[in-house]
Amino acid sequence: EGVTWGLLSRPYHVLVLLNPQSGTGQALQLFRSLVQPMLVEADVAFTLCVTERPNHARELVRAADLSRWDAVAVLAGDGLLYEVVNGLMERQDWQAAIKKPLCTLPGGSGNALAASINHYAGNTRASKEELLTNCTYFLCKGLHAPMDLVSLSTASGKRLYSFLSFGWGFISDVDIASEKYRQLGNARFTVGTIQQLAGLKVYKGRLSYLPVETSSSVSSAPGSPSEQNSHHVPCSNGHPLHILPQPAPGVPRPPHEGSWPEDSLLVPFDQPVPKHWTVVPEEEFISIFAIYQSHLGADFTMAPTAKLHDGSMHLFFLKAGVSRLGLLKLFLAMEKGTHLDLNCPHLHYVPVRAFRLEPFASTGLMTVDGEPLACEPVQGQVHDQLCRIISG
Ligand code: ADP
Ligand code: MG
């Protein structure tokens, strides 16, 4: 299968969405001092848009005239890119919109995709300004590659698109509980982990999955991009944006499930998973975590063999019974990605195409790309090469 690399044709114009609250609150300063000079030097034009609140970026990309930009960059953490991916998928013309090259410029406390792309490019481990410099350099080069997305559906009818991870239990709890240590940047996860170890919880539920090995190929249903008129509305910081007419805030978007990529591997929740799936016999877990890229953070190589588009979710589950010391060892080994070498009998790893998780109680929160999701039955599958991302 040929890799369809793309190259932004010069001169190109990038929409930069920036979360001023992300990470240690330095994103705007980092843009001015580090990113902007590089873009100017490389003759890359940009429109900067500073977000004012959660979901601002999501609403912007849901409604904007995307033809104005050759790429959409996010200077923030993974959370803002998650908004952008979902905003694009909520458009009537999602099929064309999701092909707009995206770019992650790490400015948050969780920059897993940036760390992964830095790793795929063959660069040595980097964080903070060094990682941001590397990623801005990728944007100046303009090379983009396909990236897999995962569709997630919940029993209550939510549908989400995820580029990084789905989790429940220990790792998700660390992510959420450590939000208050955002000022520490990436170190928030180390502090959060040690803290969570003290109050280790058991999560009960049924986990099922379709291993990559036993799966057949997936096809996507065709959709029809729609042409719409646009008009101008001002962006938060005064830059005019072309915005398509949209419903009032809070009004659910019109359903267009018929044209969404088909979840050909999944069956409705009221039916048991297909026979060729694996159902995990144990039902008590410390953590369940599916990651689709190599890094969970600058210092966490969770799935060392993962690639941008390997058609896999790298599913890890840690069964109850592991000691605190065992868990600490796993966590420390994850920095270099050697946690599987420890042969911990409680830790399981399998690359999968699809999974279903049915919690027995609404314990804790789940996370999607690091963002919280109320605990309920959820299932998901990989959609090969659904979006494009600027990479090295
Ligand atoms: P971090 O890596 O530090 O968590 P993210 O970019 O992931 O940074 O953003 C964290 C959260 O902040 C996301 O849920 C996002 O929706 C939200 N957010 C985006 N813009 C703003 C804003 N202007 N003020 C407050 N929160 C915002
Ligand atoms: Mg985040």
Side-chain angles (χ1 to χ4, degrees), residues 116 119-120 125 291-296 300-308 310 314 316 333-341 347 349:
S116 300
H119 171 71
Y120 304 146
R125 173 189 302 265
I291 183 163
Y292 338 133
Q293 302 300 335
S294 61
H295 283 60
L296 188 54
F300 298 99
T301 318
M302 194 162 188
T305 62
K307 298 281 180 300
L308 264 185
D310 55 11
H314 299 260
F316 292 84
M334 210 181 285
E335 181 178 340
K336 296 206 164 55
T338 56
H339 43 294
L340 288 172
D341 303 342
L347 180 64
Y349 164 66

Side-chain angles (χ1 to χ4, degrees), residues 19 21-23 51-54 76-77 79-80 83 108-110 182 371:
N19 175 1
Q21 303 295 329
S22 68
T51 63
E52 291 173 335
R53 53 191 150 75
L80 205 68
E83 283 193 18
S109 51
R182 184 183 296 279
E371 299 295 303

